[in-house]
Amino acid sequence: MAEFLFITDLDNTLVGDDAAMQQLLDQLTRHRDQHGTKIVYSTGRSLTSYQQLKAEKHLVDPDALVTGVGTAIYHQGSREPNADWATLLSQNWDRERVRAIADSFEDLMPQPESEQGPFKVSYYLHPSVASNILPQLEAKLQREALAVNLIYSGSKDFDLLPANAHKGYAMTFLRNAYGFAPERTVACGDSGNDRAFFAVGSERGIIVGNAMPELLDWHSANPADHRYLAQAYYAAGVLEGLAFFGFLAS
Ligand code: GLC
Ligand code: MG
């Protein structure tokens, strides 16, 4: 079995079923040792919030960690985010203006300071008003010529990111850095911010069975052969998908 690039979201994808997670991580680390497979975690969490989850769930060290919905990339053993990625994201990004415009919408409730980042402005937004607020905000940002990525996840979290930042672009950056073909790359997720994994190219995609409606609806409207919707939940769904694509034996 040949090496592959494995990328996974954490909350409600890798994490959610402890026994299945352990089984998956054991198989992946064995594959990493034997074949040079790379393991990447890609989360909406900040670095601090990731470290709490890592300690709580005894997650193995990944080869790279992507935090803040694709806005920072940390290579194993480094405490500093990848500088090339930061330089890319800083182009055409005016955080203060973006924040001021978003702040003018009273339905957008700022998330705690710990979840804000140099390339990420985050709010809570109630699903009952989201479909009304989002187009208004988008129009306002457009009028001001601000190119921003708007990402609504889990029917509550709302992130504003630089136009060239999301989990999909971060995946492509790492895939090129490591030299994996799209066919040897697989990304797994459950919610709105994971859609970017499945929309950038032909990398293999696994949607776990417990995915949120926002992702399931998009998947049924945009079916693709390179994307698999698992029956099983959480890490068991990931194992099911890896067997389906032939990355790991079932
Ligand atoms: C994580 C982050 C939060 C973000 C959400 C969705 O929960 O902590 O800031 O909005 O993911 O991307
Ligand atoms: Mg998730």
Side-chain angles (χ1 to χ4, degrees), residues 9 13 152-155 188-199 206-208 210-222 227-229:
D9 168 55
T13 301
Y152 190 47
S153 303
S155 302
C188 320
D190 76 294
S191 85
N193 70 16
D194 300 314
R195 204 165 95 176
F197 283 143
F198 312 126
I206 300 170
I207 297 178
V208 289
N210 56 288
M212 299 289 298
E214 69 223 8
L215 183 58
L216 292 173
D217 291 350
W218 175 83
H219 171 66
S220 33
N222 303 274
R227 195 180 324 121
Y228 178 74
L229 172 60

Side-chain angles (χ1 to χ4, degrees), residues 44-46 69 111 115 120 122 153 157-159 193:
R45 291 178 180 242
S46 61
V69 200
Q111 288 188 16
E115 293 310 300
K120 174 170 176 282
S122 295
S153 303
D157 294 315
F158 179 55
D159 304 308
N193 70 16

Side-chain angles (χ1 to χ4, degrees), residues 17 19 92 108 132 158 172-173 176 185 214 217 230 234:
D17 171 342
N92 298 318
L108 293 178
N132 182 27
F158 179 55
T172 309
F173 181 88
N176 289 326
T185 301
E214 69 223 8
D217 291 350
Y234 311 112

Side-chain angles (χ1 to χ4, degrees), residues 116-134:
Q116 310 295 342
F119 302 113
K120 174 170 176 282
V121 187
S122 295
Y123 296 85
Y124 298 118
L125 174 61
H126 198 273
S128 62
V129 291
S131 57
N132 182 27
I133 298 297
L134 294 180

Side-chain angles (χ1 to χ4, degrees), residues 93-111 116 120-125 129 133-144 146 148-151 157-161:
W93 172 241
D94 188 338
R95 189 181 193 282
E96 286 323 303
R97 276 176 71 207
V98 169
R99 204 187 69 170
I101 291 175
D103 277 344
S104 70
F105 287 78
E106 58 180 28
D107 288 305
L108 293 178
M109 305 287 297
Q111 288 188 16
Q116 310 295 342
K120 174 170 176 282
V121 187
S122 295
Y123 296 85
Y124 298 118
L125 174 61
V129 291
I133 298 297
L134 294 180
Q136 288 182 40
L137 173 63
E138 205 166 357
K140 206 161 172 181
L141 289 164
Q142 246 166 36
R143 276 201 300 277
E144 303 267 336
L146 292 166
V148 181
N149 232 330
L150 307 181
I151 302 184
D157 294 315
F158 179 55
D159 304 308
L160 294 96
L161 314 175

